[in-house]
Amino acid sequence: MKAFWLPSKTPSAERKAEKPDGEIKCPTTLKKLRMKDLLEVKWTRVPKAEDSERYMCPITFKTFTNTTQIIILKPSGDAISEEAYKRVVEKEGGYNGKKVKGVIRLQKGGSGFAGSGTQVESKRHFSLGAGSGLADSRGQARGATSHFGLKFN
């Protein structure tokens, strides 16, 4: 008899945990991160704001939202909007007297709405539908598939 509440009767399992890699890797390139690769981001706070956690573009003075495309300038680390980058910095080639050697585009935050523009793609194939036993075929839960967000391959 197998019982989880009695230590002497619990089933045994093999340990298959592998030792984790001791290196911190870049999420995009999967190369080892070094301290000199990291960049401190300089955010500009909104002046006289009730909420001290609001930031703005130092060129256009527009407040950053979850829909704002934000660009980080290398090597200074200043955070500006893409609009300001295209209008001013890209044409001049510098910002605050420093030459811009590259940019990092930050990914926009999702709004929680299904059509927010972020695409999620499944890496695993599985069937959903009336015949699979995984779908709910009662009432309003049954209907057309979503045209936003999640893709099944």
Side-chain angles (χ1 to χ4, degrees):
M1 173 172 94
K2 295 181 181 178
F4 66 90
W5 58 88
L6 297 173
S8 62
K9 302 284 185 176
T10 56
S12 61
E14 294 180 30
R15 291 187 179 214
K16 294 184 180 180
E18 296 176 14
K19 186 176 180 181
D21 192 9
E23 299 175 347
I24 297 174
K25 296 184 179 183
C26 174
T28 54
T29 62
L30 297 177
K31 292 182 181 177
K32 181 181 176 183
L33 276 180
R34 299 175 296 176
M35 282 300 286
K36 72 177 193 175
D37 295 334
L38 301 179
L39 183 67
E40 183 179 345
V41 178
K42 297 174 188 160
W43 299 96
T44 306
R45 290 190 186 269
V46 174
K48 299 180 185 175
E50 301 135 9
D51 183 12
S52 63
E53 292 299 319
R54 295 178 58 118
Y55 300 96
M56 68 175 187
C57 175
I59 298 172
T60 62
F61 297 105
K62 291 183 181 177
T63 305
F64 292 141
T65 64
N66 61 344
T67 60
T68 307
Q69 181 66 51
I70 300 173
I71 293 182
I72 309 298
L73 303 176
K74 287 183 182 177
S76 67
D78 292 303
I80 63 171
S81 64
E82 185 176 33
E83 174 187 1
Y85 176 73
K86 287 182 178 178
R87 285 187 179 181
V88 180
V89 179
E90 192 174 36
K91 291 178 182 176
E92 293 182 10
Y95 176 71
N96 274 352
K98 296 178 185 175
K99 185 177 178 184
V100 175
K101 296 180 181 176
V103 297
I104 300 171
R105 295 184 194 287
L106 298 184
Q107 182 177 353
K108 292 186 219 176
S111 64
F113 180 65
S116 66
T118 57
Q119 294 291 320
V120 180
E121 191 170 333
S122 171
K123 301 289 182 198
R124 196 171 141 201
H125 177 73
F126 54 92
S127 299
L128 286 179
S132 68
L134 299 173
D136 187 6
S137 60
R138 297 173 283 145
Q140 294 177 348
R142 186 174 186 176
T145 59
S146 173
H147 297 290
F148 307 105
L150 189 59
K151 293 180 182 178
F152 294 104
N153 287 338

